[in-house]
Amino acid sequence: MKIKNHIFSLIIVLLCVQQLSAQSVKDSAFRILMVGVHFSGQLPQKDLAKRFGPNLSAGANFTWKTKHNILFGVEGSYFFGKNVREDVVSSLKTEEGFVIDNEGYPADLRLTERGWNFYANVGMLFSKLGNNPNSGVFFTVGAGYMQHKVNLYDASKKVAAVKGDFKKGYDRLSGGFGLTQFVGYKYISNNRLANCYFGFEFYEGFTKSYRGFNYDTGQEDTQKRLDVSIGFRIGWILPLYKRTKDFYYN
């Protein structure tokens, strides 16, 4: 009987603590460290659209929200896709449009997009349109780095022209300084059951080729590029914050 009473008392205490934390989140803005993962669908623009079509992106971010709803964060993303518009192996193709392997047969040579970026950002959250003082419409701006290339995958490993380091003459590896902007809505629930955000992301990369010479054209690649990408992102958040003077949780 005593054990049952202790268990019942513990449940009551836990419920009370949970209620306190919920009221704290609901009633006042405070400092929160937010760890998040995100997924995006993106549309390339400018020079990037000449090389790639629509792509997907996945990544992670860390954001510190102050009690005045100012945001500081870092984020990184890996983007990828199958829509390669620039035919970097055109010089290897026959009149019928095939790349021939070492044995004289049509090769299974696949071209895909691969890239990544990393940014530090700062922003502001406006809680008047939110479900509590820690949620609402927000925006961020940031600066960092962007890199991308055409990935050549020789499934049968029988195309000597793209074997080993020869691949670098076709992959168009490019990178450089980048800017980013984001506008969306951040939702921090009162009961910790659902925490997420969504919105529109914008990237601008001021890139150039890291190879300097393309085998397929036989020319130097010294062009300065403006690689722009626009996307829609959804993300999940794990908020870590102090709930009262005496209790901490994540």
Side-chain angles (χ1 to χ4, degrees):
M1 188 68 179
K2 291 183 178 180
I3 295 177
K4 291 183 178 181
N5 290 336
H6 287 310
I7 293 175
F8 180 76
S9 299
L10 180 59
I11 293 174
I12 295 298
V13 170
L14 290 175
L15 289 175
C16 290
V17 169
Q18 172 65 32
Q19 184 63 26
L20 285 172
S21 68
Q23 289 176 347
S24 179
V25 174
K26 181 178 180 180
D27 300 332
S28 61
F30 51 86
R31 294 183 292 270
I32 303 177
L33 173 62
M34 292 173 278
V35 182
V37 294
H38 56 260
F39 187 79
S40 310
Q42 299 175 332
L43 294 175
Q45 305 292 320
K46 298 294 184 179
D47 291 328
L48 196 62
K50 299 175 184 177
R51 182 165 294 173
F52 302 114
N55 63 271
L56 299 175
S57 174
N61 57 78
F62 297 87
T63 302
W64 175 253
K65 186 187 78 66
T66 72
K67 63 181 180 180
H68 300 295
N69 283 340
I70 300 174
L71 306 172
F72 299 95
V74 293
E75 67 173 62
S77 299
Y78 175 74
F79 52 95
F80 52 94
K82 295 183 178 180
N83 300 301
V84 179
R85 291 173 173 169
E86 186 173 356
D87 190 356
V88 300
V89 294
S90 59
S91 63
L92 303 178
K93 291 183 176 180
T94 64
E95 293 182 357
E96 291 76 21
F98 298 108
V99 175
I100 302 301
D101 66 20
N102 304 339
E103 299 176 354
Y105 296 102
D108 185 6
L109 184 60
R110 307 169 192 176
L111 305 183
T112 57
E113 176 189 7
R114 295 291 184 270
W116 62 274
N117 53 42
F118 180 84
Y119 298 94
N121 52 54
V122 62
M124 189 75 186
L125 183 145
F126 301 92
S127 60
K128 288 185 178 181
L129 298 177
N131 61 298
N132 60 48
N134 298 282
S135 303
V137 175
F138 74 102
F139 77 91
T140 61
V141 295
Y145 178 80
M146 173 191 288
Q147 181 174 298
H148 57 78
K149 71 173 183 178
V150 177
N151 184 57
L152 295 91
Y153 176 67
D154 179 12
S156 60
K157 302 187 185 302
K158 294 181 180 181
V159 183
V162 297
K163 187 176 181 180
D165 287 343
F166 289 122
K167 196 178 294 186
K168 296 179 181 179
Y170 300 94
D171 68 6
R172 301 295 199 272
L173 178 65
S174 304
F177 176 74
L179 297 174
T180 183
Q181 305 83 38
F182 187 93
V183 59
Y185 185 87
K186 193 181 297 290
Y187 178 83
I188 303 296
S189 68
N190 297 330
N191 57 14
R192 298 186 298 148
L193 295 180
N195 304 282
C196 62
Y197 73 99
F198 57 87
F200 294 94
E201 57 186 10
F202 306 87
Y203 297 102
E204 302 88 28
F206 304 91
T207 68
K208 63 178 182 180
S209 172
Y210 286 154
R211 301 309 188 196
F213 188 85
N214 298 326
Y215 290 176
D216 57 306
T217 63
Q219 299 177 350
E220 292 185 352
D221 188 351
T222 59
Q223 176 190 358
K224 292 183 178 180
R225 302 172 54 85
L226 175 58
D227 295 323
V228 177
S229 183
I230 300 173
F232 181 80
R233 178 195 295 186
I234 57 175
W236 173 82
I237 302 169
L238 172 64
L240 308 172
Y241 56 90
K242 178 180 179 180
R243 68 185 188 184
T244 68
K245 292 182 178 180
D246 302 316
F247 298 98
Y248 294 81
Y249 73 93
N250 59 41

